[in-house]
C-alpha cells in the first residue's frame, strides 16, 4: 500500500495535476494513516506555504476559490489534534517566516482597504499559530513581526468600527497582546520597545481601547462581543502601554525632559538619543490623520487621562511627586479646551464639552487621590508652579461655564478640595455661574451642583470664613441682573448644604453673617423697592436666605455667654424695627387694587420675614430664659382680651387686616406665611395660658379656623405636583401641597379647636387626596419631595391618627358615606324600600346614625324584647328575591380602593355604634349582586370584604353585633348570598382566588361560632338553626334539579360544616358530663352526618385519578377527629387507648379508608401545597390512632413510612418547609410502632447513607436518609427504641462522614448534602451526650469539619455553612469535653477554619459593595462567642492560648478588616489574652515574624488600654 501513495509528493509539485486534485491529494495525505511520506507533516505544510507565497508574489496564478481552500487547508492543519499531539510528543514542525509575512500583508491590506478576501481563514490560521506555543515562536523570535501583526489587527478594527466584526478577530488580538506582553518583559532594550510602541502600536491601541470602552461592539448583533473579552483586551492594552511607554528604565529620560536637568557629565548609555519620551508620546497622540476627525477629539480626551494614570502608576513615589505633576500640563495641553480663548465657547459642541470635561475631571481626580499637590511644598520649593497651573484650569472653567455638564461642577469641586485659594480670586464668578445664575435642569447636573455648593460651604465653614463667603454671595445677588430668569436661590440641595454648614459654625460667625445680610438688605434693596420688579425679586432671595439662616442656626440656651445672647437680641430687635415693619408698612402704603408683580414679591418677602422672626423669637424664648422677647413672656397667668398675643409685636390688628386684604388673592408664599403666623400665634396662646379663659378659647378657635379657611378652594382638586419643602421654591402650583402639609403636620395642635364641620372637611380632603391605587402610591418623587398623596398616606399610617378621635370618626363617616353612595347608585328597585330595610345606607349625618344604633342597642339591653331577626329577615328576603343592589365592574373597582383604605385603619377599637354600623355596611357590600364583573375581580372583592369582617369581629366591641342579629342569622345570610353568587363564578376548583375566598370565609365563620361559644348566647338555639340551615342546603346540594348542586356550592357547604364541627366538637368533648341532657351532642352528630354526606358528594364517582381537592382534605381530618372524640372512655387520656372497638363502630369507615388509600398515592404530589400537605398528614396521624380502620392485609405503619419516603426523595423538596409538619406524624408512628418497625426505619436510613448511593449519583436517596434521621432525632424515644438507635450511632456517624467527603469532592461542591449532614451531626452529638461512649465516634466529627469548603461561596451560602459548622463545634465543646481535650489540636484547627474564613470574607475589598457585611458580622459574632466559651475553660486551654493568639495575628497581618468585623474578633481574642501569662507574651514577641509582630504589638497595646483596664476597674467594685 505504501507504494500506491509514494507518488503524492511528486503529484503535488507536478504542473500537470489540476489544483482541484492537488487539494484532494493533500487533504487525503494529511488525514490518512496509509500514506507514508518522510516528514509528512512538514512536507504538506511547506507545499501549502510555498503555493500561497508564490501566488501572492505573483509567480503563480490561481483562482480565488483555490486560494481560499489553500488557506482553509493550512488552517485545518494548524488546528488539527494530530498536529497538537505531534508537537506535544516533541516532534518539530517549522513555520517559515514567509508564511507569517504573507499573513501580516493580508491583514495590512484588510486594515487599509477593508478587503474581506479570505480574512476569516487567515484570522483562523493566525489564531492557530498564536494559540500553539511551539508555532508562536515564529512571531516572538522576530519582535517586528508580532508588532506589525498587532498593529494591523488593531487598525482592522479601528478603521471599520461600523462594520460587522467577528469575535474571532478580537480573540486573535487578545492572543497577540498576550505574546507581545511576554516579549516586552523579555526585551532588554527599552529604546526599542519604546520605539515600537510609539511608532506602531500607540495610536491603534488607544483608538481600539476608546472604542471598546464606548461599547461599540457589545450591542446585540451578529458580531456581538462578550463583555469579559472586551474588558480583558482593555486591561491588556493598559498593561502594554504601561510597560512599553512608561518603563522604569525610562524614568531618567522623563526626568531629563520634564524637570529640564541637563547635565553634561551624565552618561546616558543606550538612552542617549531618547531624550524626549513625553514629547514623542504627545506628538503621536495629537497627530490629526490617524483616525476620522469626528473621533479624534474623543480619542485624545480619553487617552490623556489614561496615559496620566499609567504614568502615575509607574513613577509615583514620594521623591517623584513634582515629576508626576510636570506630566500633567503637557497632557492637559492635548485637550481642545486648553487652547480656548475667553469667549470661544461656541467652538465646541455640548458633546465635545462633556468629553473634554470628563477628561479634565479624571486628570484632577488623579491628582487629588495621589496627593501630588502639597500646598506648602509647592510654595516653598517650586514657586507655586502647581498652584498657577490649577489657577489656569480654574479660570478656563469659570470663563467657559458649562452648567448643563455634570463634570464641570465636579472639576470645580476637586479644585476647591485641593486648595480654596485656587478658586477664591474668582469666587464671585464661581457663585454666579455655578449657583445663583446657573440654569440646571438635568438630574445628574443638579446632583453635581449640590455637591459643589456643599463643598464650598463646608470649606469656608472649616476655615471660619463664612462671612467672607456671604459677602460674595450677597454681591452676586445684589448686582444688576435679570432676576426673573434666575432659578430659586435655595432649593433643597443648597438649603441642606447651608444647614449643615450652620451647624458647624460658632454662633458669633452666624450672627456676623446674619448682620451682613441685614445690612445689604437695608442699604441696597429697601430704598429701591418701589415699582422695581428686579429689586423685589432680590428682596425675596435675601428673605429666603435670612429665613434659612435663622431657622437652621443653633438655638440660644441658658449655657450661652451673655454677650452672645445680647448680640442676638439686638439683631432680632433691629430686624423687626428696621426691616420687617418697614416692609409691612411699604406693602400697605403702596398696594393697588390691581397688584403688580413687584408688590406680590414684596408681600412675599414681608410675610416670610414676619413668620421667620416670630418662629425664631418663640424658639429663643422657650430655650433661653435670659432672652427677653419683644412679644412678651411665654408663661403667664390666664389671658384676657387685652393680653392676647399679636401676630407680630408692635404691629396692630388693624394693620394686619389691611395686610390680609392685600394678599387675599394670593395663592403662594404670602398666604402660606400668614397661615404660619396664625399657627405661631396659636402656639404662643397655648403656652401663655395656664387656665383657658373664654376669650382665649374663642381666639384659638378663630385662629385655627383662619388657617383652615384661608385656602379651602386650593384643595378642591387633586394635584400631582411635588414640593421640596423649601419656601423659596413655593409657587401657585406647589402651594396646595405646602398648605396641606402645614395642616397635617400640626393637626395635634389644631384639632381640639376645630368645629365639627371643619373636622368633616379635613376628613373629606384626606380621603380625596389618598392615592387611588398601589401604582400611584408607588410613584414616589423621593426625598425631600412631598405631594398631596404622600402627606395624606403618612397621616393615614401615623400612630397619632387613631389618637385624634374626632378626625378618625369623621374619616370613618366619610368612607361610610362614599361606600353607601356607591351602593345606592347600584340600586335597581325602589330606594324607599331599601331605605326602610337598610337604613344604615342612607344615614349621612354623624349624629343621626349614632343615635339610630345607640337607640337600637339600648332597647335590646334594657327591655330584651327587640326582635333580633328583623334585620336578618330583611337581608334574607332581599337575597332570595335577587338583592336589589347590583354592582358593575367600575363600581367594584372604586369600592375595592375604599376597602383598601379601610384595611389600613384600626377597626379593633371602634365604639359599639360605629362597630355595628361598619359591620352591616360591610355585610351589605358583601351580599350585593355582582353583575358583569370579571371573576378574579369579584373574588378579590369578596375576599377583601370577608377579611375586613373578620378583622372587625376581633375588636373589643364585637359582641355588640349579636345584640342586633343572631350568629345563626349572620351565618345564614352570608352563606345564602355566597351560594347564590358562586353559581355565576366560572372558576376551577383549585383556582387560587377561589381557594383564598374559601379560606377567608372559613376564618370568619369560625370566628363567629367561637365568639358564640365564649358568650354562651343561646347555644342550642343558634347551633340548632345553623345545623338545620346546613341540612336544608345539603339536601338541595344532593338534588340534581337545583342550582345549588354545583361544585363551588358543595365546597362552600363543606367549609361551613367543617368550621361547625371544629367549633362544636371540642366544646362538646370538654363538657360531655355537663351536656348529657343537652341537645348539642345530637346537633354535633347531625353535623357529622351531613359533613360525611357532603364529603361523599365531593368524592363523586369518576374522580379517581384526580387529586383530592384542598377543601376536601381540610375537612376529612376534622370529621375523623370529631368521630374519634365521640368514642372516648372515661379516665383514659389518649385516643389510641380509648377507642372501644367492641362496642362502637366509627361512622364513614369506608370514606376514611378510601381517603387513606388515595392519600398514600398523592402524598408526594401534595408536598408542594403546604395547606393540603398539612391536612393530609393530620389525617394520616389520626388514621394511625384508629386500629379498627386498619387493614389486616398490610401494615399501616409500613405503608405510611414508604409514602413519606417518596415525599422526602422527591426532587425540589424543601426540608425546611415540610419537616415541621412531619414531626407530629413521626412522633405518633414511633409511639405506636413496634421495635421491629423502628429497626426497619433505621436500616432504611443506613441504606440511604451507604456510600454506594453517592457513587451512583443518587443524591435524592441520600438526602431522604438524612431527613429521616433528622426527623427521628426530633422525636421523643425511650426504652428499646432509644437503645437501638444509639447502638447503631457509630455506623451512622461513619456513613455521614463518607457522604460528606464525597460531597466535598464534587464540582461544584454539593452544599445540598453538606449542610444537612452538618445539621444532623450537631443534633446527634447533642442528643448523644450521655449515650455515645466511644470517643473515636465523636472525633470523626472533626474529619467532617476539617474538610468543609468555605471559600468561593456566595454570602448567604457562606453564612449558612458557617453557622452549621459552628453548631457542630459548639456541640462538641459543650457535650463532649473529654473527647475535645484528647483531640484539642483538631478542635483548634476546626475553629481556625472558621476564624480565617471570617477574616477572608470580612476584608476590605478594592471593588464591590458592602451588601454582604451584615452576613460577615453575624459570623464574626459567632467566632467571638466561641472565644468566650473557650475562655471559660481556662484550665484546658491555657497551654494553647499563645498559639491561638499567634494564629490570629499571623492571619490578621494578611488582610485589612472592616472596622466592625475587626472589633468583634478583637473582643474575642482579648479573652484569650486574659489566659496568657507574661511568659507567653514574651514568647510571642520573640517568635512572631516581623509583620505579625507589629500586629501583635498593636493588639496587645489595645488590650491593655481598653480591655484589661476596664476589667481591672470592674474588679475594684466586685465583692
Amino acid at each position: 500500500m505504501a507504494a500506491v501513495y509514494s507518488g503524492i509528493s511528486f503529484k503535488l509539485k507536478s504542473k500537470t495535476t489540476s489544483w482541484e486534485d492537488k487539494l484532494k491529494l493533500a487533504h487525503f495525505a494529511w488525514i490518512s494513516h496509509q500514506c507514508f511520506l518522510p516528514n509528512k507533516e512538514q512536507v504538506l505544510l511547506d507545499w501549502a506555504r510555498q503555493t500561497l507565497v508564490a501566488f501572492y508574489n505573483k509567480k503563480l496564478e490561481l483562482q480565488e476559490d483555490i486560494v481560499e481552500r489553500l488557506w482553509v487547508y493550512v488552517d485545518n492543519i494548524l488546528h488539527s489534534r494530530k498536529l497538537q499531539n505531534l508537537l506535544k510528543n516533541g516532534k518539530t514542525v517549522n513555520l517559515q517566516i514567509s508564511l507569517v509575512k504573507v499573513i501580516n500583508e493580508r491583514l495590512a491590506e484588510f486594515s487599509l482597504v477593508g478587503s474581506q478576501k479570505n480574512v476569516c481563514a487567515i484570522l483562523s490560521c493566525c489564531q492557530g499559530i498564536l494559540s500553539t506555543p511551539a508555532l508562536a515562536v515564529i512571531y516572538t523570535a522576530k519582535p517586528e513581526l508580532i508588532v506589525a501583526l498587532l498593529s494591523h489587527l488593531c487598525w482592522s478594527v479601528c478603521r471599520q468600527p461600523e462594520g460587522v466584526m467577528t469575535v474571532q478577530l478580537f480573540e486573535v488580538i487578545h492572543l497577540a497582546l498576550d505574546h507581545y506582553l511576554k516579549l516586552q518583559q523579555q526585551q532588554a532594550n527599552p529604546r526599542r520597545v519604546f520605539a515600537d510602541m510609539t511608532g506602531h502600536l500607540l495610536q491603534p491601541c488607544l483608538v481600539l481601547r476608546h472604542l471598546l470602552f464606548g461599547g461599540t461592539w457589545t450591542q446585540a448583533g451578529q458580531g456581538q462581543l462578550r463583555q469579559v473579552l472586551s474588558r480583558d483586551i482593555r486591561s491588556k492594552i493598559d498593561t502594554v502601554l504601561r510597560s512599553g511607554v512608561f518603563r522604569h528604565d525610562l524614568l531618567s529620560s522623563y526626568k531629563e525632559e520634564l524637570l529640564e536637568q541637563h547635565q553634561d557629565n551624565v552618561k546616558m548609555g543606550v538612552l542617549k538619543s531618547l531624550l524626549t519620551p513625553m514629547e514623542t508620546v504627545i506628538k503621536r497622540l495629537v497627530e490629526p490623520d490617524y483616525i476620522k476627525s469626528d473621533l479624534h477629539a474623543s480619542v485624545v480626551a480619553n487617552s490623556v487621562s489614561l496615559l496620566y494614570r499609567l504614568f502615575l502608576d509607574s513613577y509615583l513615589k514620594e521623591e517623584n511627586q513634582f515629576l508626576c505633576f510636570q506630566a500633567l500640563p503637557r497632557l492637559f495641553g492635548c485637550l481642545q479646551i486648553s487652547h480656548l480663548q475667553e469667549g470661544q465657547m461656541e467652538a465646541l459642541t455640548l458633546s465635545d464639552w462633556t468629553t473634554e470635561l470628563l477628561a479634565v475631571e479624571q486628570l484632577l481626580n488623579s491628582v487629588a487621590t495621589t496627593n501630588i499637590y502639597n500646598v506648602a511644598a509647592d510654595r516653598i520649593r517650586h514657586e507655586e508652579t502647581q498652584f498657577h497651573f490649577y489657577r489656569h484650569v480654574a479660570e478656563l472653567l469659570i470663563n467657559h461655564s458649562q452648567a448643563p455638564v455634570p463634570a464641570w461642577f465636579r472639576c470645580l469641586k476637586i479644585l476647591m478640595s485641593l486648595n480654596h485659594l485656587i478658586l477664591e480670586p474668582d469666587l464671585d464668578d464661581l457663585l454666579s455661574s455655578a449657583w445663583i445664575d446657573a440654569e440646571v435642569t438635568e438630574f445628574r447636573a443638579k446632583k453635581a451642583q449640590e455637591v459643589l455648593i456643599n463643598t464650598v460651604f463646608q470649606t469656608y465653614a472649616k476655615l471660619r470664613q463664612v462671612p467672607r463667603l456671604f459677602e460674595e454671595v450677597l454681591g452676586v445677588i445684589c448686582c444688576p441682573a435679570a432676576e426673573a430668569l434666575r432659578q430659586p436661590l435655595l432649593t433643597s440641595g443648597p438649603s441642606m448644604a447651608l444647614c449643615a454648614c450652620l451647624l458647624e459654625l460658632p454662633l458669633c460667625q452666624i450672627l456676623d453673617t446674619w448682620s451682613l445680610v441685614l445690612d445689604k438688605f437695608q442699604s441696597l434693596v429697601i430704598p429701591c423697592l418701589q415699582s422695581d420688579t428686579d429689586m423685589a425679586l432680590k428682596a425675596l432671595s435675601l428673605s429666603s436666605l435670612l429665613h434659612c439662616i435663622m431657622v437652621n442656626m443653633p438655638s440660644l440656651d441658658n449655657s450661652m455667654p451673655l454677650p452672645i445672647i445680647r448680640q442676638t437680641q439686638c439683631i432680632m430687635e433691629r430686624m423687626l424695627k428696621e426691616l420687617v415693619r418697614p416692609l409691612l408698612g411699604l406693602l400697605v402704603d403702596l398696594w393697588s387694587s390691581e397688584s403688580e408683580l413687584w408688590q406680590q414679591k414684596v408681600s412675599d418677602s414681608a410675610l416670610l420675614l414676619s413668620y421667620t422672626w416670630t418662629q425664631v423669637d418663640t424658639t429663643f424664648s422657650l430655650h433661653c430664659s435670659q432672652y427677653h422677647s419683644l412679644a412678651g413672656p411665654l408663661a403667664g397667668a390666664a389671658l384676657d382680651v387685652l393680653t392676647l398675643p399679636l401676630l407680630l409685636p408692635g404691629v396692630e390688628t388693624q394693620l394686619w387686616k389691611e395686610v390680609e386684604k392685600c394678599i387675599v388673592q394670593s395663592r403662594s408664599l404670602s398666604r402660606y406665611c400668614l397661615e404660619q403666623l396664625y399657627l405661631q400665634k396659636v402656639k404662643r396662646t397655648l403656652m401663655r395660658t395656664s387656665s383657658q379663659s373664654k376669650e382665649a378659647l374663642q381666639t384659638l378657635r378663630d385662629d385655627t379656623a383662619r388657617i383652615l379657611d384661608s385656602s379651602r378652594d386650593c384643595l378642591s382638586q387633586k394635584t400631582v405636583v411635588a414640593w421640596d419643602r423649601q419656601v423659596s421654591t413655593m409657587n401657585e402650583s406647589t402651594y396646595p401641597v405646602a398648605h396641606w402639609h402645614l395642616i397635617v403636620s400640626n393637626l395635634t395642635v389644631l384639632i381640639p379647636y376645630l368645629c365639627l364641620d371643619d373636622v368633616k372637611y379635613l376628613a373629606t380632603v384626606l380621603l380625596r387626596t389618598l392615592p387611588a391605587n398601589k401604582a400611584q402610591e408607588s410613584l414616589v418623587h423621593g426625598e425631600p419631595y412631598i405631594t398631596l398623596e404622600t402627606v395624606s398616606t403618612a397621616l393615614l399610617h401615623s400612630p397619632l391618627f387613631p389618637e385624634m378621635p374626632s378626625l378618625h370618626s369623621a374619616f370613618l363617616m366619610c368612607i361610610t358615606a362614599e361606600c353607601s353612595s356607591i351602593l345606592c347608585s347600584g340600586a335597581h328597585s325602589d330606594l324607599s324600600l331599601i331605605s326602610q330595610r337598610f337604613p344604615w345606607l342612607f344615614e349621612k349625618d354623624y349624629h343621626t346614625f349614632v343615635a339610630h344604633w345607640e337607640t337600637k342597642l339600648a332597647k335590646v339591653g334594657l327591655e330584651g324584647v327587640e326582635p333580633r331577626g328583623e334585620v336578618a329577615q330583611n337581608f334574607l328576603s332581599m337575597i332570595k328575591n335577587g338583592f336589589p343592589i347590583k354592582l358593575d365592574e367600575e363600581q367594584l373597582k372604586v369600592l375595592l380602593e375604599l376597602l383598601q383604605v379601610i384595611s389600613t385603619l384600626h377597626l379593633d377599637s371602634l365604639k359599639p355604634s360605629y362597630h355595628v354600623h361598619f359591620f352591616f355596611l360591610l355585610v351589605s357590600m358583601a351580599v350585593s349582586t355582582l353583575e358583569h364583573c370579571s371573576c378574579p375581580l369579584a373574588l378579590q372583592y369578596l375576599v377583601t370584604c370577608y377579611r375586613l369582617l373578620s378583622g372587625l369581629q376581633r375588636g373589643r366591641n364585637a359582641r355588640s353585633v349579636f345584640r342586633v342579629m343572631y350568629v345563626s342569622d349572620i351565618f345564614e345570610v352570608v352563606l345564602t348570598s355566597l351560594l347564590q353568587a358562586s353559581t355565576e363564578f366560572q372558576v376551577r376548583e383549585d383556582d387560587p382566588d377561589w381557594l383564598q375566598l374559601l379560606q377567608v370565609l372559613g376564618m370568619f365563620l369560625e370566628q363567629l361560632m367561637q365568639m358564640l361559644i365564649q358568650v354562651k348566647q343561646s347555644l342550642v338555639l343558634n347551633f340548632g338553626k345553623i345545623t338545620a340551615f346546613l341540612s336544608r342546603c345539603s339536601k338541595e346540594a344532593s338534588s340534581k334539579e337545583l342550582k345549588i348542586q354545583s361544585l363551588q356550592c358543595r365546597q362552600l357547604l363543606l367549609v361551613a360544616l367543617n368550621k361547625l364541627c371544629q367549633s362544636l366538637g371540642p366544646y362538646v368533648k370538654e363538657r360531655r358530663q355537663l351536656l348529657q341532657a343537652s341537645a348539642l351532642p345530637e346537633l354535633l352528630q347531625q353535623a357529622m352526618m351531613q359533613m360525611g354526606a357532603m364529603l361523599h358528594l365531593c368524592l363523586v364517582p369518576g374522580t379517581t385519578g384526580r387529586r383530592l381537592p384542598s377543601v376536601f382534605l381540610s375537612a376529612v381530618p376534622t370529621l375523623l377527629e370529631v368521630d374519634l372524640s365521640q368514642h372516648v372512655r372515661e379516665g383514659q387520656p389518649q385516643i389510641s387507648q380509648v377507642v372501644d372497638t367492641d362496642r362502637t363502630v366509627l361512622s364513614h369507615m369506608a370514606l376514611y379508608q378510601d381517603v387513606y388509600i388515595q392519600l398514600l398515592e398523592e402524598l408526594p404530589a401534595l408536598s408542594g401545597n403546604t395547606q393540603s400537605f398539612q391536612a393530609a398528614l393530620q389525617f394520616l396521624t389520626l388514621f394511625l390512632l384508629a386500629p379498627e380502620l386498619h387493614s389486616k392485609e398490610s401494615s399501616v405503619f409500613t405503608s405510611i413510612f414508604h409514602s413519606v419516603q417518596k415525599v422526602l426523595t422527591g426532587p425540589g423538596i424543601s426540608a425546611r418547609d415540610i419537616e415541621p409538619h412531619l414531626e407530629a406524624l413521626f412522633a405518633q408512628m414511633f409511639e405506636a410502632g413496634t421495635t421491629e418497625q423502628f429497626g426497619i426505619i433505621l436500616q432504611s436510613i443506613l441504606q440511604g447513607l451507604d456510600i454506594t448511593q453517592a457513587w451512583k449519583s443518587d443524591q435524592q436517596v441520600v438526602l431522604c436518609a438524612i431527613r429521616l434521621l433528622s426527623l427521628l432525632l426530633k422525636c421523643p424515644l425511650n426504652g428499646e427504641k432509644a437503645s437501638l438507635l444509639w447502638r447503631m450511632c457509630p455506623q451512622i456517624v461513619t456513613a455521614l462522614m463518607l457522604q460528606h467527603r464525597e460531597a466535598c469532592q464534587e464540582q461544584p461542591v454539593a452544599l445540598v448534602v453538606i449542610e444537612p449532614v452538618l445539621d444532623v451531626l450537631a443534633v446527634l452529638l447533642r442528643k448523644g451526650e450521655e449515650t455515645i461512649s466511644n470517643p473515636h465516634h465523636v472525633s470523626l466529627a472533626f474529619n467532617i469539619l476539617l474538610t468543609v469548603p468555605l471559600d468561593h461561596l456566595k454570602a448567604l451560602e457562606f453564612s449558612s455553612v458557617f453557622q452549621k459548622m459552628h453548631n457542630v463545634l459548639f456541640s462538641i465543646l459543650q457535650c463532649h469535653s473529654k473527647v475535645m481535650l484528647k483531640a484539642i489540636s483538631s478542635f483548634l484547627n476546626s475553629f481556625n477554619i472558621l476564624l480565617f474564613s471570617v477574616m477572608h470574607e470580612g476584608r476590605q475589598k478594592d471593588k464591590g459593595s458592602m451588601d454582604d457585611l451584615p452576613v460577615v458580622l453575624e459570623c464574626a459574632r459567632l467566632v467571638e462567642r466561641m472565644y468566650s466559651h473557650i475562655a471559660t475553660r481556662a484550665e484546658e486551654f491555657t497551654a494553647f492560648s499563645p498559639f491561638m493568639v499567634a494564629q490570629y495575628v499571623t492571619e490578621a497581618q494578611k488582610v485589612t478588616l472592616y472596622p466592625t468585623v475587626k472589633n468583634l474578633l478583637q473582643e474575642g481574642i482579648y479573652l484569650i489574652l486574659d489566659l496568657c501569662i507574661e511568659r507567653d507574651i514574651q514568647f510571642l514577641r520573640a517568635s512572631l515574624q516581623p509583620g505579625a509582630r507589629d500586629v501583635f504589638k498593636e493588639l496587645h497595646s489595645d488590650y491593655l488600654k481598653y480591655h484589661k483596664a476596664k476589667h481591672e476597674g470592674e474588679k475594684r467594685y466586685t465583692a
Side-chain angles (χ1 to χ4, degrees), residues 342-567:
E342 194 168 348
Q344 286 187 330
M345 288 175 62
E346 291 77 12
L348 298 177
T349 64
L350 184 62
S351 173
D352 292 336
W353 272 110
T354 303
T355 306
E356 298 272 316
L357 288 170
L358 281 171
V360 175
E361 180 195 357
Q362 289 168 356
L363 290 172
L364 294 173
N365 253 332
S366 297
V367 172
T369 54
T370 52
N371 297 319
I372 289 173
Y373 180 39
N374 183 299
V375 177
D378 181 52
R379 184 174 298 168
I380 296 167
R381 297 178 188 166
H382 306 297
E383 299 177 351
E384 294 191 324
T385 305
Q386 289 198 54
F387 176 78
H388 293 312
F389 169 72
Y390 301 134
R391 273 291 303 138
H392 167 66
V393 175
E395 288 172 355
L396 193 66
L397 292 171
I398 291 172
N399 291 336
H400 301 87
S401 171
Q402 290 297 320
V405 183
W408 182 75
F409 292 103
R410 294 197 292 267
C411 291
L412 291 169
K413 182 255 177 189
I414 298 168
L415 290 171
M416 176 61 73
S417 302
L418 287 173
N419 186 353
H420 75 284
L421 294 173
I422 295 170
L423 290 169
E424 188 157 281
D426 301 312
L427 187 57
D428 54 345
D429 293 328
L430 170 68
L431 293 167
S432 173
S433 56
W435 176 19
I436 297 167
D437 294 315
E439 293 184 19
V440 184
T441 54
E442 200 261 330
F443 176 77
R444 290 181 305 131
K446 275 187 177 180
K447 286 296 175 187
Q449 181 195 36
E450 288 171 10
V451 172
L452 170 62
I453 295 170
N454 186 55
T455 304
V456 171
F457 276 124
Q458 291 297 322
T459 302
Y460 278 87
K462 288 174 185 173
L463 295 167
R464 296 293 186 257
Q465 292 185 19
V466 171
R468 158 88 178 88
L469 173 64
F470 267 85
E471 282 184 14
E472 300 293 345
V473 171
L474 294 170
V476 175
I477 292 173
C478 296
C479 72
E483 289 290 330
L485 301 178
R486 280 179 169 172
Q487 299 290 320
L489 181 68
L490 287 172
T491 53
S492 60
S495 179
M496 285 190 287
L498 179 54
C499 293
C501 167
L502 292 169
L503 292 175
E504 294 182 10
L505 286 178
L507 198 56
C508 58
Q509 285 232 325
I510 297 175
L511 295 176
D512 292 344
T513 306
W514 184 359
S515 182
L516 186 66
V517 179
L518 283 178
D519 291 340
K520 289 285 184 182
F521 207 137
Q522 194 175 1
S523 61
L524 296 179
V525 176
I526 285 187
C528 310
L529 268 180
Q530 188 173 349
S531 302
D532 191 332
T533 302
D534 277 352
M535 275 299 170
L537 288 166
K538 290 183 194 300
L540 184 56
S541 295
L542 292 176
S543 301
S544 62
L545 193 60
L546 271 174
H547 168 79
C548 192
I549 292 170
M550 293 170 67
V551 169
N552 294 292
M553 66 182 282
S555 174
L556 295 180
D557 57 43
N558 291 325
S559 64
M560 291 279 183
L562 191 58
I564 293 290
I565 297 172
R566 287 176 177 169
Q567 185 183 358

Side-chain angles (χ1 to χ4, degrees), residues 77-92:
I77 291 176
L78 293 172
H79 282 92
S80 66
R81 183 171 295 177
K82 182 179 178 182
L83 180 63
Q84 301 300 323
N85 291 335
L86 288 170
L87 294 171
K88 193 181 293 183
N89 293 331
K91 185 167 182 178
T92 304

Side-chain angles (χ1 to χ4, degrees), residues 1219 1222-1223 1226-1227 1230 1238 1241-1242 1245 1249 1265-1278 1281-1282 1284-1289 1292-1293 1296 1316-1329 1331-1332:
E1219 280 185 11
L1222 285 167
E1223 286 174 19
F1226 265 66
F1230 294 150
F1238 183 74
I1241 292 182
L1242 286 177
I1245 290 171
L1249 290 176
I1266 296 171
R1267 289 163 184 163
L1268 281 172
L1269 180 59
S1270 175
L1271 286 166
L1272 187 148
L1273 290 169
K1274 290 176 183 175
C1275 295
L1277 298 174
N1278 47 44
K1281 294 171 188 173
L1284 183 59
L1285 169 66
W1286 297 117
R1287 281 202 306 272
M1288 299 184 75
C1289 182
I1292 292 172
V1293 174
L1296 287 172
V1317 165
L1318 292 171
D1319 274 336
V1320 80
L1321 182 62
V1323 178
L1324 199 63
L1325 290 169
R1326 285 198 297 273
K1327 291 268 187 178
E1329 181 177 2
T1331 49
I1332 300 178

Side-chain angles (χ1 to χ4, degrees), residues 1079-1096:
L1080 287 179
E1082 186 180 344
L1083 291 174
L1084 179 59
Q1085 286 291 340
Q1086 292 177 25
M1088 287 170 56
M1089 297 306 294
Q1090 292 171 26
M1091 189 173 176
M1094 192 56 60
L1095 285 168
H1096 277 293

Side-chain angles (χ1 to χ4, degrees), residues 1106-1108 1113 1151-1167 1172-1173 1175-1177 1179-1181 1183-1184 1189-1191 1194-1208 1222 1225 1229:
R1106 290 174 54 193
R1107 291 184 187 172
L1108 295 171
L1113 281 173
L1151 173 68
Y1152 300 144
Q1153 288 166 344
D1154 289 344
V1155 172
Y1156 164 72
I1157 293 167
Q1158 195 161 347
L1159 275 182
L1160 290 181
E1161 296 176 3
E1162 290 186 9
L1163 198 59
L1166 290 174
S1167 60
S1172 298
F1173 186 67
L1177 293 178
F1179 176 82
L1180 291 175
T1181 306
F1183 192 87
L1184 197 66
L1189 295 175
H1190 299 179
S1191 170
S1194 62
S1195 166
V1196 172
F1197 183 98
T1198 307
S1199 301
I1200 292 176
F1201 173 67
H1202 287 317
S1203 183
V1204 170
Q1205 223 177 359
K1206 289 178 186 175
V1207 171
L1208 296 174
L1222 285 167
L1225 175 62
M1229 283 174 66

Side-chain angles (χ1 to χ4, degrees), residues 702-771:
D702 293 343
D703 291 342
T704 51
R706 277 199 184 92
I707 295 170
L708 213 61
D709 295 340
S710 62
S711 302
R712 282 180 183 263
D713 57 330
C714 76
L715 293 176
S716 59
Q717 294 180 348
K718 293 183 75 170
T719 176
V720 294
V721 177
W723 179 50
D724 65 356
R725 309 190 202 193
Q726 302 301 320
V727 291
S728 63
T729 61
M730 194 184 299
N731 51 40
E732 283 194 27
S733 62
T734 57
Y735 170 71
V737 185
H739 172 66
W740 183 232
H741 180 257
L742 169 70
I743 292 171
V744 169
S745 303
N746 295 280
L747 266 178
T748 49
V749 176
L750 302 176
I751 206 78
Y753 307 103
L754 292 175
C755 65
L756 189 58
D757 289 337
D758 286 340
V759 175
K760 284 183 184 176
Y761 163 71
L762 286 178
T764 308
V765 173
L766 175 59
L767 182 59
R768 187 170 59 242
T769 54
L770 285 170

